[in-house]
Amino acid sequence: MERNQPINTSDLESPVNISVEEAEAKIPFEIKQPSVPFHVTQQSARILDTNGEFDAIEITYANSDEGMNLIIMITNSQIDTPPTGKKGLKLTNGSQTWDQGNEHVSAIYWRNEGLTYSLISGKNNNLEPLYDYETLIDIANTLN
């Protein structure tokens, strides 16, 4: 009589963190990274599952000693949904940004050259915003 094998919980976890270099080899667009204004102690990337509809990558820059993180998400989604949040300033490249922050994180969103970007910052495990809206604009302007 066969016994059922226990479920391996590692098979159920979200996408595996990989290096940015590994992600660059798998994503069909250039991954632009910001200048991070704090000392980064950990950096990881995840390719998000979109059921093959578009490509999406999330890169996390963290300082685990200080409890700070900055996350950039980039997608090549062609879905033209209206952005949420409050219409904000334009980046130096002319892209319109939207302030999507709340009481837990600060966040901005913009589109440029067919890609959609989100930049999110938080501290204390994203219980409170790390940077204000204007600082996120400054960070977004450093993408290269």
Side-chain angles (χ1 to χ4, degrees):
M1 181 183 245
E2 287 186 36
R3 292 177 33 176
N4 289 334
Q5 293 292 318
I7 294 173
N8 184 345
T9 55
S10 65
D11 293 341
L12 304 176
E13 291 177 9
S14 59
V16 176
N17 287 335
I18 59 176
S19 72
V20 173
E21 293 76 20
E22 289 174 289
E24 285 176 326
K26 296 179 181 187
I27 293 288
F29 52 81
E30 180 186 359
I31 299 172
K32 295 184 178 185
Q33 297 190 64
S35 292
V36 181
F38 57 79
H39 176 71
V40 176
T41 61
Q42 297 176 327
Q43 177 180 328
S44 63
R46 306 189 302 150
I47 296 174
L48 306 177
D49 181 11
T50 63
N51 294 322
E53 293 181 24
F54 56 90
D55 298 288
I57 182 169
E58 178 184 275
I59 304 172
T60 301
Y61 309 91
N63 181 313
S64 53
D65 301 329
E66 309 266 338
M68 301 183 294
N69 66 57
L70 183 70
I71 300 166
I72 186 158
M73 187 181 312
I74 309 169
T75 77
N76 62 354
S77 172
Q78 298 303 308
I79 299 169
D80 193 19
T81 55
T84 59
K86 180 179 152 196
K87 189 173 184 178
L89 302 171
K90 288 191 176 182
L91 298 177
T92 54
N93 66 14
S95 299
Q96 177 66 57
T97 67
W98 299 84
D99 182 352
Q100 297 185 320
N102 59 33
E103 66 273 13
H104 302 292
V105 295
S106 49
I108 62 171
Y109 161 101
W110 71 98
R111 290 185 177 148
N112 186 42
E113 297 178 350
L115 300 176
T116 301
Y117 297 83
S118 294
L119 189 62
I120 304 145
S121 74
K123 59 183 176 180
N124 300 325
N125 292 320
N126 290 338
L127 293 177
E128 58 185 297
L130 176 59
Y131 297 117
D132 61 16
Y133 171 79
E134 288 78 14
T135 303
L136 285 182
I137 293 288
D138 291 341
I139 295 168
N141 279 323
T142 70
L143 260 77
N144 56 34

